[in-house]
Amino acid sequence: MLVAIIAMATQSHAVSHLYRGNSTYTSDILATWDGRYLYRGNSTYSSDILLTYDGKYLYAGRSTYNSDIMGTWDGRYLYQGRSSYSNDIIATWDGQYVYDGRSTYSSDIMNTVTGKHIYRGRSTYTSDIIFTISGRIPIPVLLTIM
């Protein structure tokens, strides 16, 4: 039982990385995710926090003030700021594709997301990989940086 608790605690604090292109080299780390904060590069220093995510809101930097809300996530749509109006939808997520705005037309696909890679457009060709992910980074966090 103690081993299971320790394993769960370790998993909840696992650090994930976002790499440039089809790379997993340390020199290509663009961002680090710790489960609450997204950091610049391979850092976990508070001075390098780019955004905070609480499960619904994305905040600029380390803030959790309403005035610093960059986006609102409802599980399908990413809205600009603290809005939930359809006119403020920045991106739509359907489980595989990221669409521009509220659209779900194939011509509006901006990115394809698999478990490990983010591709340009509606592609899964190696040449179209723009990011590689190690670990887990929430979709709204990824949408914010794509």
Side-chain angles (χ1 to χ4, degrees):
M1 181 69 154
L2 181 59
V3 173
I5 293 170
I6 293 170
M8 286 176 28
T10 305
Q11 288 175 355
S12 68
H13 296 293
V15 173
S16 301
H17 291 102
L18 183 72
Y19 297 86
R20 177 181 299 114
N22 190 20
S23 173
T24 54
Y25 291 115
T26 304
S27 60
D28 289 324
I29 294 174
L30 298 172
T32 301
W33 173 251
D34 73 357
R36 180 167 171 88
Y37 301 112
L38 184 73
Y39 301 85
R40 180 183 347 272
N42 192 22
S43 173
T44 54
Y45 291 115
S46 61
S47 61
D48 289 325
I49 294 174
L50 299 171
L51 67 85
T52 303
Y53 178 56
D54 68 5
K56 180 173 182 176
Y57 297 113
L58 295 139
Y59 301 88
R62 191 174 184 189
S63 175
T64 55
Y65 292 117
N66 285 341
S67 60
D68 291 325
I69 294 174
M70 300 183 321
T72 302
W73 176 246
D74 73 359
R76 178 174 170 90
Y77 300 113
L78 179 63
Y79 299 86
Q80 183 175 356
R82 193 171 180 190
S83 177
S84 59
Y85 293 112
S86 61
N87 289 346
D88 292 328
I89 295 173
I90 298 169
T92 300
W93 168 247
D94 74 358
Q96 180 178 10
Y97 299 113
V98 177
Y99 298 86
D100 187 22
R102 191 174 182 192
S103 174
T104 54
Y105 291 116
S106 61
S107 60
D108 290 328
I109 293 173
M110 297 188 301
N111 302 100
T112 301
V113 181
T114 64
K116 183 177 174 182
H117 293 107
I118 299 173
Y119 299 85
R120 184 175 294 106
R122 188 179 182 172
S123 173
T124 54
Y125 291 116
T126 303
S127 60
D128 290 326
I129 295 172
I130 53 177
F131 300 119
T132 298
I133 305 163
S134 72
R136 301 180 91 188
I137 301 176
I139 287 297
V141 172
L142 292 172
L143 291 174
T144 304
I145 55 180
M146 282 196 270

mmCIF file of all heavy atoms in Angstrom, residues 18 21 91-100 105-133 139 142-143 146:
data_model
loop_
_atom_site.group_PDB
_atom_site.id
_atom_site.type_symbol
_atom_site.label_atom_id
_atom_site.label_comp_id
_atom_site.label_asym_id
_atom_site.label_seq_id
_atom_site.Cartn_x
_atom_site.Cartn_y
_atom_site.Cartn_z
ATOM 1 N N LEU A 18 8.380 19.838 -23.541
ATOM 2 C CA LEU A 18 7.991 20.101 -24.915
ATOM 3 C C LEU A 18 9.265 20.414 -25.679
ATOM 4 O O LEU A 18 10.002 21.332 -25.315
ATOM 5 C CB LEU A 18 7.032 21.294 -24.977
ATOM 6 C CG LEU A 18 6.482 21.628 -26.355
ATOM 7 C CD1 LEU A 18 5.474 20.566 -26.781
ATOM 8 C CD2 LEU A 18 5.833 22.997 -26.336
ATOM 9 N N GLY A 21 10.516 20.323 -32.738
ATOM 10 C CA GLY A 21 10.557 19.339 -33.812
ATOM 11 C C GLY A 21 10.479 17.911 -33.312
ATOM 12 O O GLY A 21 9.834 17.614 -32.315
ATOM 13 N N ALA A 91 -9.777 28.381 -30.275
ATOM 14 C CA ALA A 91 -9.488 27.081 -30.879
ATOM 15 C C ALA A 91 -10.505 26.050 -30.401
ATOM 16 O O ALA A 91 -11.055 26.163 -29.309
ATOM 17 C CB ALA A 91 -8.078 26.629 -30.517
ATOM 18 N N THR A 92 -10.710 25.038 -31.252
ATOM 19 C CA THR A 92 -11.598 23.922 -30.946
ATOM 20 C C THR A 92 -10.770 22.644 -30.957
ATOM 21 O O THR A 92 -9.932 22.444 -31.831
ATOM 22 C CB THR A 92 -12.720 23.816 -32.007
ATOM 23 O OG1 THR A 92 -13.467 25.033 -32.002
ATOM 24 C CG2 THR A 92 -13.647 22.647 -31.716
ATOM 25 N N TRP A 93 -11.027 21.774 -29.988
ATOM 26 C CA TRP A 93 -10.312 20.499 -29.856
ATOM 27 C C TRP A 93 -11.322 19.368 -29.976
ATOM 28 O O TRP A 93 -12.354 19.370 -29.300
ATOM 29 C CB TRP A 93 -9.626 20.468 -28.498
ATOM 30 C CG TRP A 93 -9.087 19.146 -28.083
ATOM 31 C CD1 TRP A 93 -9.524 18.368 -27.041
ATOM 32 C CD2 TRP A 93 -7.997 18.427 -28.656
ATOM 33 N NE1 TRP A 93 -8.771 17.228 -26.951
ATOM 34 C CE2 TRP A 93 -7.827 17.237 -27.935
ATOM 35 C CE3 TRP A 93 -7.149 18.681 -29.729
ATOM 36 C CZ2 TRP A 93 -6.846 16.295 -28.237
ATOM 37 C CZ3 TRP A 93 -6.167 17.757 -30.036
ATOM 38 C CH2 TRP A 93 -6.014 16.575 -29.302
ATOM 39 N N ASP A 94 -11.038 18.391 -30.838
ATOM 40 C CA ASP A 94 -11.961 17.266 -30.989
ATOM 41 C C ASP A 94 -11.355 15.933 -30.567
ATOM 42 O O ASP A 94 -11.918 14.881 -30.818
ATOM 43 C CB ASP A 94 -12.492 17.179 -32.416
ATOM 44 C CG ASP A 94 -11.472 16.667 -33.420
ATOM 45 O OD1 ASP A 94 -10.305 16.408 -33.046
ATOM 46 O OD2 ASP A 94 -11.839 16.532 -34.603
ATOM 47 N N GLY A 95 -10.220 15.960 -29.914
ATOM 48 C CA GLY A 95 -9.567 14.736 -29.469
ATOM 49 C C GLY A 95 -8.377 14.349 -30.328
ATOM 50 O O GLY A 95 -7.539 13.562 -29.909
ATOM 51 N N GLN A 96 -8.297 14.907 -31.526
ATOM 52 C CA GLN A 96 -7.171 14.643 -32.418
ATOM 53 C C GLN A 96 -6.689 15.906 -33.119
ATOM 54 O O GLN A 96 -5.503 16.101 -33.304
ATOM 55 C CB GLN A 96 -7.549 13.604 -33.477
ATOM 56 C CG GLN A 96 -6.413 13.284 -34.425
ATOM 57 C CD GLN A 96 -6.788 12.209 -35.441
ATOM 58 O OE1 GLN A 96 -7.937 11.821 -35.570
ATOM 59 N NE2 GLN A 96 -5.800 11.742 -36.163
ATOM 60 N N TYR A 97 -7.633 16.762 -33.498
ATOM 61 C CA TYR A 97 -7.288 17.943 -34.277
ATOM 62 C C TYR A 97 -7.562 19.223 -33.503
ATOM 63 O O TYR A 97 -8.501 19.298 -32.710
ATOM 64 C CB TYR A 97 -8.092 17.989 -35.582
ATOM 65 C CG TYR A 97 -7.852 16.810 -36.489
ATOM 66 C CD1 TYR A 97 -8.855 15.892 -36.732
ATOM 67 C CD2 TYR A 97 -6.619 16.611 -37.086
ATOM 68 C CE1 TYR A 97 -8.650 14.806 -37.562
ATOM 69 C CE2 TYR A 97 -6.397 15.528 -37.917
ATOM 70 C CZ TYR A 97 -7.412 14.632 -38.148
ATOM 71 O OH TYR A 97 -7.193 13.562 -38.963
ATOM 72 N N VAL A 98 -6.757 20.238 -33.801
ATOM 73 C CA VAL A 98 -6.965 21.583 -33.285
ATOM 74 C C VAL A 98 -7.437 22.423 -34.467
ATOM 75 O O VAL A 98 -6.761 22.497 -35.494
ATOM 76 C CB VAL A 98 -5.658 22.190 -32.724
ATOM 77 C CG1 VAL A 98 -5.892 23.610 -32.256
ATOM 78 C CG2 VAL A 98 -5.109 21.325 -31.607
ATOM 79 N N TYR A 99 -8.622 23.021 -34.310
ATOM 80 C CA TYR A 99 -9.209 23.831 -35.363
ATOM 81 C C TYR A 99 -9.099 25.302 -35.010
ATOM 82 O O TYR A 99 -9.126 25.674 -33.835
ATOM 83 C CB TYR A 99 -10.693 23.501 -35.524
ATOM 84 C CG TYR A 99 -10.971 22.076 -35.918
ATOM 85 C CD1 TYR A 99 -11.074 21.079 -34.952
ATOM 86 C CD2 TYR A 99 -11.150 21.724 -37.246
ATOM 87 C CE1 TYR A 99 -11.350 19.766 -35.308
ATOM 88 C CE2 TYR A 99 -11.422 20.409 -37.602
ATOM 89 C CZ TYR A 99 -11.519 19.438 -36.632
ATOM 90 O OH TYR A 99 -11.781 18.147 -36.985
ATOM 91 N N ASP A 100 -9.033 26.121 -36.031
ATOM 92 C CA ASP A 100 -9.006 27.566 -35.864
ATOM 93 C C ASP A 100 -10.396 28.042 -35.458
ATOM 94 O O ASP A 100 -11.386 27.738 -36.126
ATOM 95 C CB ASP A 100 -8.579 28.225 -37.175
ATOM 96 C CG ASP A 100 -8.367 29.712 -37.027
ATOM 97 O OD1 ASP A 100 -8.133 30.193 -35.902
ATOM 98 O OD2 ASP A 100 -8.431 30.407 -38.062
ATOM 99 N N TYR A 105 -14.264 22.334 -39.667
ATOM 100 C CA TYR A 105 -14.016 22.000 -41.067
ATOM 101 C C TYR A 105 -12.578 21.550 -41.229
ATOM 102 O O TYR A 105 -11.662 22.120 -40.631
ATOM 103 C CB TYR A 105 -14.267 23.209 -41.978
ATOM 104 C CG TYR A 105 -15.715 23.611 -42.070
ATOM 105 C CD1 TYR A 105 -16.129 24.853 -41.605
ATOM 106 C CD2 TYR A 105 -16.663 22.754 -42.628
ATOM 107 C CE1 TYR A 105 -17.461 25.235 -41.691
ATOM 108 C CE2 TYR A 105 -17.993 23.124 -42.708
ATOM 109 C CZ TYR A 105 -18.388 24.368 -42.243
ATOM 110 O OH TYR A 105 -19.699 24.734 -42.331
ATOM 111 N N SER A 106 -12.374 20.537 -42.051
ATOM 112 C CA SER A 106 -11.015 20.020 -42.241
ATOM 113 C C SER A 106 -10.075 21.090 -42.787
ATOM 114 O O SER A 106 -8.879 21.065 -42.510
ATOM 115 C CB SER A 106 -11.021 18.786 -43.143
ATOM 116 O OG SER A 106 -11.529 19.101 -44.411
ATOM 117 N N SER A 107 -10.601 22.048 -43.521
ATOM 118 C CA SER A 107 -9.756 23.125 -44.052
ATOM 119 C C SER A 107 -9.258 24.069 -42.952
ATOM 120 O O SER A 107 -8.334 24.843 -43.174
ATOM 121 C CB SER A 107 -10.505 23.925 -45.110
ATOM 122 O OG SER A 107 -11.674 24.500 -44.551
ATOM 123 N N ASP A 108 -9.872 23.997 -41.764
ATOM 124 C CA ASP A 108 -9.481 24.862 -40.646
ATOM 125 C C ASP A 108 -8.636 24.149 -39.601
ATOM 126 O O ASP A 108 -8.419 24.674 -38.509
ATOM 127 C CB ASP A 108 -10.720 25.461 -39.981
ATOM 128 C CG ASP A 108 -11.408 26.479 -40.866
ATOM 129 O OD1 ASP A 108 -10.711 27.157 -41.638
ATOM 130 O OD2 ASP A 108 -12.651 26.589 -40.781
ATOM 131 N N ILE A 109 -8.153 22.939 -39.914
ATOM 132 C CA ILE A 109 -7.287 22.220 -38.978
ATOM 133 C C ILE A 109 -5.926 22.909 -38.935
ATOM 134 O O ILE A 109 -5.265 23.052 -39.963
ATOM 135 C CB ILE A 109 -7.127 20.735 -39.376
ATOM 136 C CG1 ILE A 109 -8.463 20.015 -39.216
ATOM 137 C CG2 ILE A 109 -6.040 20.063 -38.523
ATOM 138 C CD1 ILE A 109 -8.461 18.592 -39.744
ATOM 139 N N MET A 110 -5.542 23.332 -37.743
ATOM 140 C CA MET A 110 -4.238 23.975 -37.560
ATOM 141 C C MET A 110 -3.178 22.956 -37.186
ATOM 142 O O MET A 110 -2.033 23.069 -37.616
ATOM 143 C CB MET A 110 -4.321 25.052 -36.469
ATOM 144 C CG MET A 110 -5.257 26.188 -36.805
ATOM 145 S SD MET A 110 -5.182 27.553 -35.615
ATOM 146 C CE MET A 110 -5.623 26.760 -34.080
ATOM 147 N N ASN A 111 -3.552 21.970 -36.355
ATOM 148 C CA ASN A 111 -2.590 20.986 -35.868
ATOM 149 C C ASN A 111 -3.259 19.641 -35.650
ATOM 150 O O ASN A 111 -4.447 19.569 -35.356
ATOM 151 C CB ASN A 111 -1.970 21.431 -34.541
ATOM 152 C CG ASN A 111 -1.276 22.753 -34.647
ATOM 153 O OD1 ASN A 111 -1.844 23.760 -34.254
ATOM 154 N ND2 ASN A 111 -0.076 22.773 -35.172
ATOM 155 N N THR A 112 -2.444 18.585 -35.748
ATOM 156 C CA THR A 112 -2.840 17.235 -35.395
ATOM 157 C C THR A 112 -2.018 16.848 -34.172
ATOM 158 O O THR A 112 -0.803 17.057 -34.158
ATOM 159 C CB THR A 112 -2.553 16.252 -36.550
ATOM 160 O OG1 THR A 112 -3.269 16.691 -37.709
ATOM 161 C CG2 THR A 112 -2.975 14.837 -36.183
ATOM 162 N N VAL A 113 -2.684 16.311 -33.149
ATOM 163 C CA VAL A 113 -2.002 15.945 -31.914
ATOM 164 C C VAL A 113 -2.128 14.443 -31.709
ATOM 165 O O VAL A 113 -3.233 13.903 -31.690
ATOM 166 C CB VAL A 113 -2.596 16.693 -30.704
ATOM 167 C CG1 VAL A 113 -1.858 16.329 -29.431
ATOM 168 C CG2 VAL A 113 -2.563 18.205 -30.932
ATOM 169 N N THR A 114 -0.994 13.777 -31.583
ATOM 170 C CA THR A 114 -0.972 12.367 -31.205
ATOM 171 C C THR A 114 -0.434 12.314 -29.786
ATOM 172 O O THR A 114 -0.151 13.355 -29.197
ATOM 173 C CB THR A 114 -0.079 11.546 -32.159
ATOM 174 O OG1 THR A 114 1.267 11.989 -32.028
ATOM 175 C CG2 THR A 114 -0.548 11.676 -33.607
ATOM 176 N N GLY A 115 -0.253 11.159 -29.231
ATOM 177 C CA GLY A 115 0.242 11.059 -27.861
ATOM 178 C C GLY A 115 1.600 11.682 -27.648
ATOM 179 O O GLY A 115 1.917 12.168 -26.582
ATOM 180 N N LYS A 116 2.410 11.703 -28.683
ATOM 181 C CA LYS A 116 3.802 12.123 -28.530
ATOM 182 C C LYS A 116 4.185 13.331 -29.386
ATOM 183 O O LYS A 116 5.141 14.032 -29.073
ATOM 184 C CB LYS A 116 4.693 10.933 -28.891
ATOM 185 C CG LYS A 116 6.149 11.151 -28.717
ATOM 186 C CD LYS A 116 6.924 9.887 -29.040
ATOM 187 C CE LYS A 116 8.407 10.143 -28.997
ATOM 188 N NZ LYS A 116 9.190 8.975 -29.354
ATOM 189 N N HIS A 117 3.454 13.575 -30.459
ATOM 190 C CA HIS A 117 3.840 14.638 -31.387
ATOM 191 C C HIS A 117 2.684 15.591 -31.693
ATOM 192 O O HIS A 117 1.519 15.207 -31.640
ATOM 193 C CB HIS A 117 4.322 14.042 -32.717
ATOM 194 C CG HIS A 117 5.583 13.275 -32.596
ATOM 195 N ND1 HIS A 117 5.625 11.901 -32.660
ATOM 196 C CD2 HIS A 117 6.860 13.679 -32.405
ATOM 197 C CE1 HIS A 117 6.874 11.489 -32.523
ATOM 198 N NE2 HIS A 117 7.636 12.555 -32.351
ATOM 199 N N ILE A 118 3.070 16.799 -32.066
ATOM 200 C CA ILE A 118 2.142 17.784 -32.609
ATOM 201 C C ILE A 118 2.630 18.084 -34.022
ATOM 202 O O ILE A 118 3.798 18.430 -34.218
ATOM 203 C CB ILE A 118 2.102 19.065 -31.763
ATOM 204 C CG1 ILE A 118 1.639 18.727 -30.346
ATOM 205 C CG2 ILE A 118 1.186 20.099 -32.409
ATOM 206 C CD1 ILE A 118 1.724 19.883 -29.380
ATOM 207 N N TYR A 119 1.709 17.937 -34.971
ATOM 208 C CA TYR A 119 2.036 18.102 -36.380
ATOM 209 C C TYR A 119 1.412 19.375 -36.937
ATOM 210 O O TYR A 119 0.375 19.826 -36.456
ATOM 211 C CB TYR A 119 1.495 16.922 -37.195
ATOM 212 C CG TYR A 119 2.048 15.589 -36.800
ATOM 213 C CD1 TYR A 119 1.496 14.861 -35.752
ATOM 214 C CD2 TYR A 119 3.111 15.024 -37.479
ATOM 215 C CE1 TYR A 119 1.995 13.615 -35.388
ATOM 216 C CE2 TYR A 119 3.624 13.783 -37.132
ATOM 217 C CZ TYR A 119 3.055 13.091 -36.086
ATOM 218 O OH TYR A 119 3.561 11.873 -35.739
ATOM 219 N N ARG A 120 2.001 19.885 -37.974
ATOM 220 C CA ARG A 120 1.476 21.029 -38.711
ATOM 221 C C ARG A 120 0.293 20.548 -39.546
ATOM 222 O O ARG A 120 0.383 19.553 -40.251
ATOM 223 C CB ARG A 120 2.563 21.589 -39.625
ATOM 224 C CG ARG A 120 2.191 22.814 -40.378
ATOM 225 C CD ARG A 120 3.391 23.351 -41.154
ATOM 226 N NE ARG A 120 4.438 23.827 -40.242
ATOM 227 C CZ ARG A 120 5.596 23.189 -40.006
ATOM 228 N NH1 ARG A 120 5.900 22.079 -40.613
ATOM 229 N NH2 ARG A 120 6.469 23.688 -39.162
ATOM 230 N N GLY A 121 -0.836 21.233 -39.433
ATOM 231 C CA GLY A 121 -2.004 20.913 -40.248
ATOM 232 C C GLY A 121 -2.566 19.534 -39.971
ATOM 233 O O GLY A 121 -2.478 19.007 -38.869
ATOM 234 N N ARG A 122 -3.146 18.946 -41.024
ATOM 235 C CA ARG A 122 -3.765 17.616 -40.908
ATOM 236 C C ARG A 122 -2.786 16.573 -41.423
ATOM 237 O O ARG A 122 -3.019 15.908 -42.419
ATOM 238 C CB ARG A 122 -5.060 17.580 -41.712
ATOM 239 C CG ARG A 122 -5.836 16.319 -41.497
ATOM 240 C CD ARG A 122 -7.116 16.301 -42.273
ATOM 241 N NE ARG A 122 -7.815 15.067 -41.967
ATOM 242 C CZ ARG A 122 -9.019 14.793 -42.343
ATOM 243 N NH1 ARG A 122 -9.681 15.643 -43.080
ATOM 244 N NH2 ARG A 122 -9.573 13.648 -42.016
ATOM 245 N N SER A 123 -1.692 16.445 -40.741
ATOM 246 C CA SER A 123 -0.616 15.567 -41.183
ATOM 247 C C SER A 123 -0.105 14.734 -40.026
ATOM 248 O O SER A 123 -0.217 15.128 -38.865
ATOM 249 C CB SER A 123 0.536 16.414 -41.726
ATOM 250 O OG SER A 123 1.655 15.608 -42.012
ATOM 251 N N THR A 124 0.446 13.583 -40.358
ATOM 252 C CA THR A 124 1.205 12.795 -39.384
ATOM 253 C C THR A 124 2.537 12.380 -40.005
ATOM 254 O O THR A 124 3.129 11.392 -39.604
ATOM 255 C CB THR A 124 0.416 11.559 -38.908
ATOM 256 O OG1 THR A 124 0.006 10.794 -40.034
ATOM 257 C CG2 THR A 124 -0.797 11.967 -38.075
ATOM 258 N N TYR A 125 2.992 13.160 -40.980
ATOM 259 C CA TYR A 125 4.301 12.909 -41.579
ATOM 260 C C TYR A 125 5.401 13.417 -40.649
ATOM 261 O O TYR A 125 5.269 14.494 -40.054
ATOM 262 C CB TYR A 125 4.435 13.603 -42.934
ATOM 263 C CG TYR A 125 3.569 13.009 -44.007
ATOM 264 C CD1 TYR A 125 2.554 13.756 -44.577
ATOM 265 C CD2 TYR A 125 3.775 11.699 -44.448
ATOM 266 C CE1 TYR A 125 1.750 13.213 -45.571
ATOM 267 C CE2 TYR A 125 2.971 11.154 -45.434
ATOM 268 C CZ TYR A 125 1.967 11.918 -45.999
ATOM 269 O OH TYR A 125 1.176 11.374 -46.973
ATOM 270 N N THR A 126 6.466 12.686 -40.563
ATOM 271 C CA THR A 126 7.598 13.078 -39.719
ATOM 272 C C THR A 126 8.080 14.480 -40.061
ATOM 273 O O THR A 126 8.435 15.250 -39.164
ATOM 274 C CB THR A 126 8.753 12.063 -39.881
ATOM 275 O OG1 THR A 126 8.246 10.762 -39.552
ATOM 276 C CG2 THR A 126 9.913 12.393 -38.969
ATOM 277 N N SER A 127 8.070 14.831 -41.323
ATOM 278 C CA SER A 127 8.553 16.152 -41.746
ATOM 279 C C SER A 127 7.656 17.292 -41.245
ATOM 280 O O SER A 127 8.069 18.448 -41.260
ATOM 281 C CB SER A 127 8.662 16.214 -43.265
ATOM 282 O OG SER A 127 7.396 15.981 -43.857
ATOM 283 N N ASP A 128 6.436 16.974 -40.800
ATOM 284 C CA ASP A 128 5.507 17.997 -40.310
ATOM 285 C C ASP A 128 5.430 18.080 -38.786
ATOM 286 O O ASP A 128 4.581 18.783 -38.246
ATOM 287 C CB ASP A 128 4.109 17.751 -40.882
ATOM 288 C CG ASP A 128 4.040 18.045 -42.364
ATOM 289 O OD1 ASP A 128 4.740 18.969 -42.823
ATOM 290 O OD2 ASP A 128 3.286 17.350 -43.075
ATOM 291 N N ILE A 129 6.318 17.360 -38.079
ATOM 292 C CA ILE A 129 6.329 17.435 -36.614
ATOM 293 C C ILE A 129 6.877 18.795 -36.192
ATOM 294 O O ILE A 129 7.965 19.182 -36.592
ATOM 295 C CB ILE A 129 7.186 16.310 -35.993
ATOM 296 C CG1 ILE A 129 6.564 14.946 -36.285
ATOM 297 C CG2 ILE A 129 7.346 16.524 -34.481
ATOM 298 C CD1 ILE A 129 7.442 13.770 -35.888
ATOM 299 N N ILE A 130 6.081 19.520 -35.402
ATOM 300 C CA ILE A 130 6.567 20.809 -34.904
ATOM 301 C C ILE A 130 6.993 20.731 -33.439
ATOM 302 O O ILE A 130 7.855 21.478 -33.010
ATOM 303 C CB ILE A 130 5.563 21.962 -35.136
ATOM 304 C CG1 ILE A 130 4.186 21.626 -34.596
ATOM 305 C CG2 ILE A 130 5.484 22.303 -36.601
ATOM 306 C CD1 ILE A 130 3.164 22.739 -34.727
ATOM 307 N N PHE A 131 6.374 19.804 -32.672
ATOM 308 C CA PHE A 131 6.748 19.609 -31.276
ATOM 309 C C PHE A 131 6.716 18.120 -30.938
ATOM 310 O O PHE A 131 5.900 17.377 -31.467
ATOM 311 C CB PHE A 131 5.784 20.302 -30.307
ATOM 312 C CG PHE A 131 5.666 21.778 -30.474
ATOM 313 C CD1 PHE A 131 4.446 22.354 -30.793
ATOM 314 C CD2 PHE A 131 6.756 22.608 -30.274
ATOM 315 C CE1 PHE A 131 4.321 23.726 -30.934
ATOM 316 C CE2 PHE A 131 6.641 23.978 -30.411
ATOM 317 C CZ PHE A 131 5.417 24.537 -30.741
ATOM 318 N N THR A 132 7.578 17.721 -30.008
ATOM 319 C CA THR A 132 7.550 16.390 -29.415
ATOM 320 C C THR A 132 7.314 16.571 -27.924
ATOM 321 O O THR A 132 7.890 17.469 -27.305
ATOM 322 C CB THR A 132 8.874 15.640 -29.661
ATOM 323 O OG1 THR A 132 9.044 15.486 -31.068
ATOM 324 C CG2 THR A 132 8.876 14.269 -29.008
ATOM 325 N N ILE A 133 6.453 15.722 -27.366
ATOM 326 C CA ILE A 133 6.089 15.831 -25.956
ATOM 327 C C ILE A 133 6.597 14.607 -25.209
ATOM 328 O O ILE A 133 6.381 13.482 -25.647
ATOM 329 C CB ILE A 133 4.555 15.902 -25.794
ATOM 330 C CG1 ILE A 133 3.978 17.036 -26.627
ATOM 331 C CG2 ILE A 133 4.172 16.035 -24.328
ATOM 332 C CD1 ILE A 133 2.490 16.919 -26.845
ATOM 333 N N ILE A 139 -4.026 19.622 -22.897
ATOM 334 C CA ILE A 139 -4.335 20.206 -24.204
ATOM 335 C C ILE A 139 -4.484 21.730 -24.136
ATOM 336 O O ILE A 139 -3.933 22.426 -24.986
ATOM 337 C CB ILE A 139 -5.606 19.547 -24.809
ATOM 338 C CG1 ILE A 139 -5.270 18.131 -25.267
ATOM 339 C CG2 ILE A 139 -6.170 20.359 -25.968
ATOM 340 C CD1 ILE A 139 -4.230 18.033 -26.366
ATOM 341 N N LEU A 142 -1.100 23.235 -24.225
ATOM 342 C CA LEU A 142 -0.531 23.103 -25.568
ATOM 343 C C LEU A 142 -1.160 24.079 -26.541
ATOM 344 O O LEU A 142 -0.469 24.696 -27.351
ATOM 345 C CB LEU A 142 -0.691 21.667 -26.074
ATOM 346 C CG LEU A 142 0.125 20.608 -25.348
ATOM 347 C CD1 LEU A 142 -0.281 19.214 -25.822
ATOM 348 C CD2 LEU A 142 1.618 20.830 -25.548
ATOM 349 N N LEU A 143 -2.488 24.238 -26.464
ATOM 350 C CA LEU A 143 -3.175 25.168 -27.360
ATOM 351 C C LEU A 143 -2.666 26.591 -27.175
ATOM 352 O O LEU A 143 -2.566 27.350 -28.127
ATOM 353 C CB LEU A 143 -4.685 25.126 -27.126
ATOM 354 C CG LEU A 143 -5.430 23.872 -27.538
ATOM 355 C CD1 LEU A 143 -6.890 23.943 -27.110
ATOM 356 C CD2 LEU A 143 -5.315 23.632 -29.020
ATOM 357 N N MET A 146 0.762 26.795 -28.994
ATOM 358 C CA MET A 146 0.845 26.426 -30.419
ATOM 359 C C MET A 146 0.670 27.608 -31.316
ATOM 360 O O MET A 146 0.038 28.506 -31.242
ATOM 361 C CB MET A 146 -0.192 25.371 -30.749
ATOM 362 C CG MET A 146 0.228 24.007 -30.296
ATOM 363 S SD MET A 146 -0.698 22.694 -31.040
ATOM 364 C CE MET A 146 -2.034 22.470 -29.920
#
